[in-house]
Amino acid sequence: MMTDIPHDVLLMAPVMANLLERLEGDFRLHRLYEQDDPHAYLAEHGGAITALVTRGDVGVATPVLEQLPQLGLIAVFGVGTDGIDLDYARRHGIAVTITSGALTEDVADMALGLLLATARQLCHYDRFVRAGRWLQEAPGLTTRVSGKRLGIFGMGNIGRAIAQRAAGFDMRIQYASRRRHSSLPYAYYPDLPALARESDFLIVAVAGGKETAGLVDKAVFDALPNHALVINIARGSVVNQPDLIAALQSGAIAGAGLDVYADEPQVPAALLAMEQVVLQPHVGSGTHETRQKMSDIVFANVSAFFNREPLPHAIE
Ligand SMILES: O=CC(=O)O
């Protein structure tokens, strides 16, 4: 149980209703996203706030952190910390927790789903049937997935879960990442364009942030074969979006399956207009089961923090 005086918790963005209810039940919850003037709101309440809850895709701007002198915890609903100034957190003794382990399988499922949907044109043919076009024309052929060469950029938990699934499709799995994982039986390429040259499909599964910003760019699209498909379930920031659009328009690559974008929820009109792309609204972890698990983990971390217990999912 918490102390009699409720602790002040700042919420940066909407989260699942049952997490919201639990946070509201135990804490004095400040919803920053509902404030007309967040700066003025924090000038008034920031001094009392000791924990902050945000989403992986939202993060928290450093000027917000600067208005929270007593902050001791940033609890992320998600695994991405690219929207958080980790140096600032470290310097100010602020712990950061993520919902590690909860969403790996769902995001990997989404990667394979997008690959199959893009290669076999599932969404295109769904529209084709609904529009009654099958009555007038024969459907064209699509691209085989099984047995092909799959390049995975990023070999963290999600990259590995994608590889495991792809093995079931008899794919030749190869990867590029910061370092070789010698325990894995997949071919390692230290150089992303070199991996691209040898891949029929490229799945982007690397963490976002400054280090990976724009790494999937024209050089990578030019290196990929023209029949290649690019899938991104990681972060929009990793892919140079104008270069991706140009590559799709010129035929440098054949298609793309995207769950993430440079400026969500904005999706460029050029992508919306293309039949060879499959678009999802950043829902890689968006299943009832996983979001429930993520809610439980966030709540457990916030509760542990206020109970002065070890944080179950602290990073580093
Ligand atoms: O995008 C979602 C996350 O960071 O988990």
Side-chain angles (χ1 to χ4, degrees), residues 9-312:
V9 174
L10 184 67
L11 184 61
M12 299 301 297
V15 289
M16 266 180 84
N18 72 5
L19 175 58
L20 205 57
E21 277 164 29
R22 287 158 85 189
L23 290 171
E24 265 174 341
D26 278 10
F27 310 111
R28 192 182 294 127
L29 195 62
H30 301 266
R31 304 180 199 208
L32 196 61
Y33 56 97
E34 285 182 353
Q35 307 309 322
D36 294 333
D37 185 345
H39 185 82
Y41 186 84
L42 289 180
E44 193 180 338
H45 300 282
I49 287 163
T50 44
L52 178 158
V53 174
T54 188
R55 296 199 319 238
D57 60 337
V58 172
V60 52
T62 308
V64 170
L65 296 179
E66 286 165 354
Q67 285 192 277
L68 305 171
Q70 301 303 322
L71 192 67
L73 173 70
I74 299 172
V76 180
F77 185 92
V79 293
T81 53
D82 48 311
I84 296 169
D85 186 340
L86 293 179
D87 285 338
Y88 182 97
R90 212 172 290 123
R91 281 201 310 277
H92 292 81
I94 302 167
V96 178
T97 61
I98 57 174
T99 57
S100 38
L103 51 67
T104 307
E105 290 83 5
D106 275 5
V107 177
D109 290 353
M110 174 61 82
L112 268 293
L114 275 173
L115 177 57
L116 288 165
T118 307
R120 303 300 300 267
Q121 299 184 32
L122 299 185
C123 301
H124 166 76
Y125 278 124
D126 179 89
R127 294 190 285 270
F128 179 93
V129 173
R130 286 172 200 273
R133 285 174 56 192
W134 196 14
L135 302 170
Q136 278 111 42
E137 47 182 310
L141 302 181
T142 63
T143 299
R144 180 182 171 96
V145 169
S146 288
K148 292 287 182 66
R149 301 170 303 170
L150 173 64
I152 303 177
F153 179 32
M155 240 327 135
N157 292 336
I158 294 172
R160 287 166 203 230
I162 291 169
Q164 251 178 12
R165 284 155 175 72
F169 288 85
D170 298 322
M171 299 180 89
R172 195 171 103 198
I173 299 156
Q174 43 204 19
Y175 68 103
S177 69
R178 253 178 321 191
R179 60 184 186 88
R180 181 196 295 271
H181 299 267
S182 45
S183 60
L184 297 176
Y186 317 125
Y188 172 64
Y189 290 76
D191 179 57
L192 182 56
L195 173 72
R197 252 188 305 281
E198 298 298 324
S199 297
D200 300 305
F201 311 129
L202 179 68
I203 298 186
V204 180
V206 79
K210 280 199 285 276
E211 281 175 25
T212 57
L215 287 187
V216 181
D217 61 0
K218 184 174 185 307
V220 175
F221 297 124
D222 286 347
L224 282 162
N226 295 149
H227 64 256
L229 305 175
V230 173
I231 308 300
N232 188 5
I233 46 74
R235 278 289 185 268
S237 62
V238 182
V239 173
N240 180 315
Q241 197 163 266
D243 286 1
L244 169 67
I245 292 169
L248 286 161
Q249 283 170 337
S250 70
I253 61 169
L258 306 172
D259 188 38
V260 290
Y261 308 86
D263 180 26
E264 295 170 11
Q266 304 299 324
V267 178
L271 288 176
L272 298 178
M274 288 177 190
E275 274 297 295
Q276 75 274 39
V277 303
V278 175
L279 305 170
Q280 291 290 295
H282 198 151
V283 286
S285 68
T287 64
H288 291 294
E289 295 88 342
T290 290
R291 289 285 169 85
Q292 185 57 52
K293 248 198 279 176
M294 292 165 68
S295 296
D296 293 344
I297 292 174
V298 168
F299 193 74
N301 280 301
V302 176
S303 300
F305 172 73
F306 286 121
N307 288 329
R308 299 178 192 281
E309 291 163 3
L311 300 173

